[in-house]
Amino acid sequence: MLDAQIPLGGQREYQEIVRRILGTTARDIMSTPVKTCHPDTDLEEVATLMVEKNANPIPVMEHGRLVGIISHTDLMRAFDELETPSAESAA
C-alpha cells in the first residue's frame, strides 16, 4: 500500500491495518483551511507561507480557479536557477 512497510504480526493484525488504510479518505488527512497563493505572488512570500504555515504544496488560484500547484521542489528548482548564471549571461 503506497510503498509502506507493514509489520506482519498475524493475519488478524494485517487485516486490521489493511482495513484502516483502505478506509482512509483524502478528507481524513487533508489540511484546512487551505493556504493558497496567486500566480503573481513573490517566491519569497510563497516560501514564507510554506515554512510558517507548514504548507506544501500550495495551490495557485486565480479568479477562484485552480491554475497550478507549487511545491518545495518547485521552489528549490527556481531558487537554484536564479543563483546559477546561465551560459548567455556568462558570455
Side-chain angles (χ1 to χ4, degrees):
M1 309 317 146
L2 303 176
D3 207 24
Q5 292 183 346
I6 301 174
L8 298 178
Q11 185 67 19
R12 183 171 290 157
E13 181 182 355
Y14 171 76
Q15 288 174 343
E16 177 60 22
I17 291 169
V18 170
R19 185 192 64 74
R20 280 185 287 163
I21 290 171
L22 296 178
T24 302
T25 64
R27 173 174 278 125
D28 297 332
I29 62 171
M30 69 184 186
S31 301
T32 57
V34 177
K35 308 300 182 214
T36 65
C37 68
H38 187 270
D40 296 329
T41 304
D42 292 331
L43 290 184
E44 182 179 349
E45 189 175 336
V46 174
T48 300
L49 180 64
M50 285 182 175
V51 171
E52 289 182 356
K53 301 299 182 183
N54 195 26
N56 179 50
I58 304 283
V60 181
M61 305 292 290
E62 186 171 35
H63 307 297
R65 296 190 60 200
L66 178 67
V67 294
I69 297 175
I70 188 167
S71 69
H72 284 133
T73 304
D74 298 321
L75 276 180
M76 298 310 294
R77 187 178 311 116
F79 289 145
D80 185 51
E81 290 172 5
L82 290 172
E83 291 178 359
T84 306
S86 67
E88 293 176 10
S89 64

